[in-house]
């Protein structure tokens, strides 16, 4: 299991306390995690694997999310070496890397939890660990963001706990007062559970875990936390944490669909997805801070993923899972570039960043290509996944959401690229003398994210398509 090795390195950072050794330990932990996660999709042949008295599940869904998470953890660990040295906080870096490794551990184990209650505990652990990372820079803005993060998310997680208790209570009338509350057991009992209880429980967990995912209108913590965190933490929050929380919603959606409640469970998720796209579009157009721009883009893309799972079917689920991978890569690239520009220009304000293409030709080209990709433009991966999701929604019940999605994606493209036009090609207002280029540690991960984004946009391998479409059937057996 990747988490075992990672936790040893976490302890090592606290014991050693030397920044360069802590960097190496965290990097090793991320490499081991990636090495363990990479073969997982090939080890699952369609039948779930259960461990530790069925408390741990490895199926195709968890394997895919763990792979996405491990990729982001590795890229962020490489980037953190160069970025964190710029903060001149060597005396506190051992704490950062201990927390960062711990954060990596929590987001990696979350998708593996087969017990519904223990999954809730895993999500709560991600909150507790990442709160300290959000506040790491010890400035007023980051401290405020950390308090807002833990208060809003804890309120949402409390609703998710209430929904989980209701699910258990409803199942007790079918399975008896005590039973092992796994995803499969809950789905098997769902058709016999009181539908009113089931619907209420599902809506509670949707709102609760939707808060963690950053779905609107429960998104209020996300712009502050993502924008005030150190850049590698922002990449982990956006590219790893949100996926880990989303998988809980998806599994509960499978339970609700197994109860044959009609389109209500899917419709609720589609509405939240469309609303998130709307909020993301409105704030992207009028955004003034560079990292807040990336944060609202995360809200938008989680809305797209929610639409894919809400639409359902092979196209919807495969598109949503493919979008998870593409977004994880792309948003890491965007936060890496934003972190580099913030340190070079010593500002977060878009209006104060000018001439990026002239001052930083290589980084600027990579970041601009990432900006085109994050808007869903071809030939990058997000275009392919978004197009697949839109195809999935072309059915009578959800066609309205496809039209909303298409219009808002156009608005987002125009607004997002207008900000980059300002930073690249508009003259006047920039800092007098931006600092020199970033180290190779800060530039290499940008190459490592952009290259696969281009490949994934030009070529969707057949085995990957078959793998992702098979997940649709595993999440809702026997349902279209």
């Amino acid at each position: 299991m990747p988490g075992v090795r990672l936790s040893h390195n976490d302890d090592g950072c606290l014991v050693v306390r030397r920044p360069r050794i802590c960097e190496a330990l965290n990097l090793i932990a991320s490499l081991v995690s990636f090495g363990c996660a990479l073969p997982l999709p090939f080890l699952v042949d369609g039948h779930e694997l259960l461990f530790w008295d069925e408390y741990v599940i490895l199926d195709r869904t968890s394997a895919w999310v763990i792979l996405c998470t491990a990729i982001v953890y590795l890229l962020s660990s490489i980037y953190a070496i160069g970025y964190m040295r710029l903060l001149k906080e060597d005396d506190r870096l051992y704490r950062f890397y201990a927390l960062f490794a711990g954060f990596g551990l929590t987001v990696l184990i979350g998708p593996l939890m087969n017990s519904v209650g223990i999954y809730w505990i895993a999500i709560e652990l991600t909150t507790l660990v990442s709160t300290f990372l959000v506040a790491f820079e010890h400035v007023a803005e980051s401290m405020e963001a950390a308090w807002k993060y833990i208060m809003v998310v804890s309120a949402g997680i409390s609703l998710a706990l209430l929904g989980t208790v209701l699910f258990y209570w409803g199942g007790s009338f079918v399975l008896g007062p005590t039973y092992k509350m796994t995803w499969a057991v809950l789905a098997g009992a769902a058709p016999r559970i009181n539908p009113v209880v089931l619907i209420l429980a599902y809506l509670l967990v949707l709102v609760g875990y939707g808060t963690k995912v950053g779905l609107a209108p429960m998104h209020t913590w996300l712009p502050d936390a993502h924008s005030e965190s150190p850049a590698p933490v922002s990449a982990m929050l956006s590219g790893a944490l949100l996926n880990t929380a989303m998988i809980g919603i998806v599994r509960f959606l499978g339970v609700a669909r197994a109860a044959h409640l009609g389109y209500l469970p899917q419709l609720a998720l589609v509405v939240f997805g469309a609303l998130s796209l709307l909020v993301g579009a409105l704030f992207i157009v009028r955004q003034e801070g560079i990292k807040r721009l990336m944060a609202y883009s995360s809200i938008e893309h989680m809305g797209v993923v929610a639409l894919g799972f809400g639409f359902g079917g092979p196209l919807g689920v495969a598109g949503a899972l493919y979008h998870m991978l593409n977004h994880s890569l792309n948003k890491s690239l965007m936060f890496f570039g934003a972190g580099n520009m913030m340190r070079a220009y010593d500002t977060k304000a878009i209006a104060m960043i000018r001439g990026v293409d002239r001052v930083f030709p290589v980084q600027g080209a990579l970041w601009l290509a990432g900006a085109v990709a994050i808007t869903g433009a071809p030939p990058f991966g997000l275009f392919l996944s978004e197009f697949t999701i839109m195809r999935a929604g072309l059915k009578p019940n959800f066609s309205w959401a496809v039209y909303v999605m298409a219009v808002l994606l156009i608005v987002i493209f125009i607004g997002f690229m207008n900000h980059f036009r300002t930073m690249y090609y508009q003259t006047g207002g920039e800092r007098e003398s931006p600092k020199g280029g970033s180290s190779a540690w800060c530039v290499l991960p940008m190459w490592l994210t952009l290259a696969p984004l281009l490949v994934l946009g030009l070529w969707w391998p057949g085995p990957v398509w078959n793998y992702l479409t098979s997940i649709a059937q595993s999440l809702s057996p026997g349902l279209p």
Side-chain angles (χ1 to χ4, degrees):
M1 296 291 293
V4 175
R5 299 287 187 87
L6 196 152
S7 63
H8 289 170
N9 289 322
D10 186 357
D11 295 338
C13 291
L14 290 174
V15 172
V16 176
R17 298 194 175 192
R18 294 183 180 180
R20 301 300 171 258
I21 296 179
C22 292
E23 292 173 352
L25 287 174
N26 181 68
L27 183 59
I28 292 170
S30 66
L31 286 167
V32 171
S33 299
F34 176 72
C36 292
L38 188 60
L40 289 184
F42 304 98
L43 298 177
V44 184
D45 60 357
H47 300 286
E48 59 189 33
L49 304 176
L50 300 175
F51 306 94
W52 291 352
D53 197 25
E54 299 187 1
Y55 283 105
V56 174
I57 182 173
L58 179 61
D59 58 3
R60 290 187 169 184
T61 307
S62 59
W64 181 259
V65 177
I66 289 172
L67 177 60
C68 295
T69 301
I71 290 172
V72 177
Y73 179 40
L74 174 59
L75 293 169
S76 299
S77 295
I78 297 171
Y79 180 79
I81 293 176
Y83 182 87
M84 297 308 294
R85 291 178 183 178
L86 300 175
L87 299 185
K88 309 298 183 183
E89 295 277 6
D90 280 7
D91 58 329
R92 293 199 300 128
L93 275 187
Y94 75 93
R95 297 176 184 171
F96 172 83
Y97 283 111
L99 289 167
F100 199 72
F103 187 30
L105 172 62
T106 58
V107 292
L108 284 167
I109 66 174
L112 289 169
M113 296 299 99
N114 191 33
S115 169
V116 178
I118 296 180
Y119 172 78
W120 180 90
I121 294 174
I123 294 299
E124 182 66 6
L125 285 175
T126 66
T127 303
L128 297 176
V129 176
S130 57
T131 297
F132 293 99
L133 290 169
V134 172
F136 183 79
E137 294 190 19
H138 283 188
V139 296
E141 293 82 0
S142 64
M143 298 298 289
E144 179 184 352
W147 276 108
K148 188 174 184 179
Y149 170 50
I150 196 168
M151 291 177 68
V152 174
V153 170
S154 295
I157 291 297
S158 298
L159 292 177
L161 178 60
L162 179 57
T164 302
V165 171
L166 276 179
F167 268 114
Y168 187 87
W169 181 64
S172 67
F173 293 100
V174 177
L175 302 171
T178 59
Y179 60 95
K180 185 173 292 187
M181 192 182 180
T182 65
W183 301 109
V185 168
L186 202 57
R192 294 173 287 164
I193 297 176
N194 186 298
V196 176
V197 173
L198 203 61
I199 290 172
L200 179 58
Y202 170 74
L203 292 177
L204 284 170
V205 296
L206 175 57
V207 172
Y209 288 122
T211 303
K212 190 75 175 182
V213 173
L215 296 178
M218 300 84 69
H219 68 283
T220 52
W221 64 272
L222 192 149
D224 294 297
H226 284 49
S227 62
E228 299 302 331
S229 307
V233 177
S234 299
M236 283 287 288
L237 288 171
S238 186
L241 175 63
L242 303 187
N243 290 342
T244 299
M246 178 64 81
I247 201 63
I249 294 177
V250 173
R251 291 195 188 276
F252 275 114
L253 176 62
V255 172
R257 293 192 68 201
H260 304 285
L261 299 175
Y263 281 99
L264 178 60
Q266 292 174 262
L267 178 61
L269 187 55
V270 168
V271 169
F272 279 121
L275 185 58
S276 300
L277 265 171
L278 176 61
V279 169
L282 293 177
F283 281 91
I284 284 172
V285 169
R286 300 184 59 84
Q287 197 50 242
E288 298 178 355
I290 186 60
K291 287 187 74 180
R292 291 182 73 87
L293 177 66
M294 307 307 161
Y296 279 106
S297 174
S298 295
I299 295 171
E300 168 221 338
H301 284 287
M302 285 301 104
V304 172
V305 172
L307 286 174
F309 286 121
F311 292 156
L315 284 175
V317 173
L321 292 167
Y322 202 56
H323 200 76
M324 276 186 174
L325 174 61
N326 289 315
H327 176 252
S328 295
L329 288 166
N330 208 158
K331 193 51 59 64
S332 297
L333 168 60
M334 298 312 295
F335 274 117
F336 297 159
N340 292 346
M341 295 306 114
M342 281 170 46
R343 294 301 162 189
Y345 288 85
D346 195 26
T347 181
K348 296 179 182 178
I350 294 174
M352 301 301 293
I353 300 175
R354 293 287 188 273
V356 173
D357 60 322
R358 299 189 304 274
V359 181
F360 305 106
V362 176
Q363 291 183 59
L366 292 170
W367 200 34
L368 182 60
V372 174
I374 203 67
T375 60
F380 299 99
L382 274 81
F383 170 77
L384 193 55
S385 54
E386 287 179 351
F387 184 73
T388 303
I389 290 171
M390 292 176 71
R391 288 174 58 199
L394 292 175
K395 55 185 71 172
N397 292 291
F398 301 124
S399 58
W400 61 271
V402 175
Y403 302 134
V404 170
M405 178 180 173
V407 171
L408 291 177
L409 287 178
I410 294 172
V411 173
I412 290 167
F413 174 82
I414 295 172
F416 206 93
M417 296 311 300
N418 184 56
H419 293 305
F420 273 76
R421 180 191 62 81
T422 299
M423 292 187 290
Y424 278 67
Y425 305 115
Q426 187 169 317
T427 58
E430 68 269 19
R431 296 286 182 181
E432 290 297 328
S433 54
K435 301 175 185 177
S438 304
S439 69
W441 291 108
C442 293
V443 179
L444 175 62
M446 299 178 71
W447 283 106
L448 294 177
T449 53
L450 184 62
L453 277 172
L454 182 59
V455 173
L456 292 172
L458 297 174
W459 178 51
W460 189 334
V464 174
W465 168 259
N466 294 333
Y467 182 90
L468 297 182
T469 52
S470 70
I471 295 177
Q473 181 63 23
S474 68
L475 290 174
S476 301
L479 295 176

